[in-house]
Amino acid sequence: MSNRSLLLIVGVCVAIVVFFQSAFTVHQTQRALVLQLGKPVGGILEPGLHFKLPFVQNVIYLDSRVLDYDTQPAEAITQDKKALVMDNYVRWRIVDPLRFYQTVRTIPSAQARLEDIVYSQLRVYIGQFTLTQIVSEERIAIMDKVTKRASEIISEYGIEIIDVRIKRTDLPAENQRAIFGRMQAERERQAKQYRSEGQQESTTIRSTADKEQAVILAQARREASIIRGEGEARAARVFAEALSKAPDFYEFQRSLETYRKSFKTNTRILLSTDDPFLKHME
């Protein structure tokens, strides 16, 4: 192999090395910065093919997608002096890669800033509400305020906070026992009150029912007396009419009624044979 050929091969190899040291691509989910001696040069690079100075410059890539950060649980004090253990997560993204690199440089450092800022704002807003308000109607409003305020503060690091949400809210163990004790006492007080109100209502209903029963029975007795009186009066008229129209038949009918009432089971009657009582039994 001649010297010229050898130089040509070496030149090609050097050109290939220089090309791969100069050319680089940025993925569509990333943004890139070119560093020279540790300082950014040339601004933010969008997705695509780019070139840099070989051996002098290097490239760092930053994720442009929305990222999740699951923060560590921390305590906060409510307005009514209750301690809460909050476990939340943050959705965030890098909106200014150059500013991000100049201030926090790496994702772990950014997450540390996020945790500090988010928990400081959580403590501020949770301290403005009672425990009952936080776990019921004010929870979403507090998260919205924390998201807005924390995003304003973190913007100086080239970061935007999309959302802050509380995954779980617990009480410290000693507070849980105290609160459970108060809840139990409160439930027992309510149960006692409900039983007392139920007994009072039962007494009222029973008294009203007894009163209505007495009124209905008195009215029924009065109507029965009236009906019985009218029946007896009608019977007396029928008997009077029967006596005037057929005295013998009336006497015979009355005698049969007398016999039916007198000769009952186990009844013993002593009469003489000529007793008028036996006239119709001959």
Side-chain angles (χ1 to χ4, degrees):
M1 179 179 295
S2 63
N3 292 335
R4 184 176 180 181
S5 299
L6 181 60
L7 290 175
L8 180 60
I9 293 172
V10 172
V12 171
C13 291
V14 171
I16 293 173
V17 172
V18 170
F19 175 79
F20 281 105
Q21 282 290 323
S22 302
F24 63 95
T25 58
V26 179
H27 192 266
Q28 59 184 356
T29 62
Q30 296 174 326
R31 298 294 183 270
L33 293 174
V34 175
L35 303 181
Q36 182 173 333
L37 300 177
K39 295 182 179 179
V41 293
I44 303 167
L45 300 180
E46 298 293 330
L49 178 63
H50 300 276
F51 296 92
K52 64 181 180 60
L53 295 178
F55 308 109
V56 178
Q57 296 178 336
N58 63 300
V59 182
I60 61 169
Y61 300 93
L62 298 173
D63 202 324
S64 62
R65 296 172 296 182
V66 175
L67 306 175
D68 292 335
Y69 176 52
D70 192 351
T71 60
Q72 295 296 321
E75 284 192 9
I77 305 299
T78 64
Q79 187 184 51
D80 50 351
K81 308 303 179 187
K82 301 292 190 306
L84 281 178
V85 177
M86 298 175 299
D87 187 6
N88 60 70
Y89 70 92
V90 181
R91 298 175 64 239
W92 63 286
R93 64 183 175 187
I94 301 170
V95 293
D96 188 345
L98 181 59
R99 188 65 179 167
F100 178 87
Y101 179 76
Q102 291 172 339
T103 52
V104 293
R105 290 183 179 270
T106 62
I107 296 295
S109 296
Q111 291 174 340
R113 295 286 193 282
L114 281 170
E115 187 165 323
D116 292 341
I117 292 173
V118 168
Y119 272 123
S120 67
Q121 295 308 309
L122 276 173
R123 290 189 176 96
V124 168
Y125 286 104
I126 284 179
Q128 299 176 4
F129 299 93
T130 64
L131 175 62
T132 304
Q133 292 174 324
I134 292 170
V135 298
S136 55
E137 71 269 18
E138 297 294 339
R139 186 184 182 113
I140 297 177
I142 291 173
M143 292 298 93
D144 292 341
K145 292 177 180 177
V146 170
T147 301
K148 182 178 179 181
R149 181 55 184 155
S151 185
E152 291 174 355
I153 297 173
I154 202 74
S155 61
E156 64 176 296
Y157 301 102
I159 296 172
E160 179 188 15
I161 293 178
I162 307 299
D163 198 9
V164 177
R165 290 297 162 189
I166 295 178
K167 294 191 302 182
R168 188 181 61 188
T169 303
D170 293 328
L171 295 172
E174 59 276 12
N175 288 15
Q176 288 185 8
R177 286 191 292 273
I179 289 179
F180 290 158
R182 287 197 295 272
M183 292 173 64
Q184 182 178 3
E186 177 64 17
R187 296 296 183 273
E188 290 176 351
R189 186 192 65 78
Q190 290 181 352
K192 186 176 181 180
Q193 179 181 351
Y194 292 154
R195 282 195 294 271
S196 177
E197 293 176 353
Q199 291 175 355
Q200 181 178 359
E201 186 70 16
S202 172
T203 302
T204 302
I205 294 174
R206 190 176 292 108
S207 177
T208 303
D210 292 341
K211 181 180 178 181
E212 292 177 353
Q213 180 188 18
V215 172
I216 292 172
L217 288 176
Q219 185 176 359
R221 292 192 185 97
R222 184 177 63 82
E223 292 178 355
S225 298
I226 294 173
I227 294 172
R228 189 181 300 109
E230 292 175 351
E232 290 176 352
R234 185 175 180 183
R237 287 196 302 273
V238 171
F239 286 142
E241 292 175 358
L243 178 62
S244 61
K245 293 181 179 177
D248 294 338
F249 179 76
Y250 176 75
E251 181 182 0
F252 176 72
Q253 181 65 25
R254 297 291 292 177
S255 297
L256 292 179
E257 292 182 3
T258 303
Y259 293 155
R260 185 172 57 253
K261 294 178 180 178
S262 300
F263 298 114
K264 295 182 178 177
T265 304
N266 297 327
T267 301
R268 180 175 296 176
I269 300 175
L270 297 177
L271 299 171
S272 63
T273 56
D274 57 349
D275 193 299
F277 184 72
L278 301 176
K279 181 176 66 176
H280 295 286
M281 300 183 67
E282 292 179 351

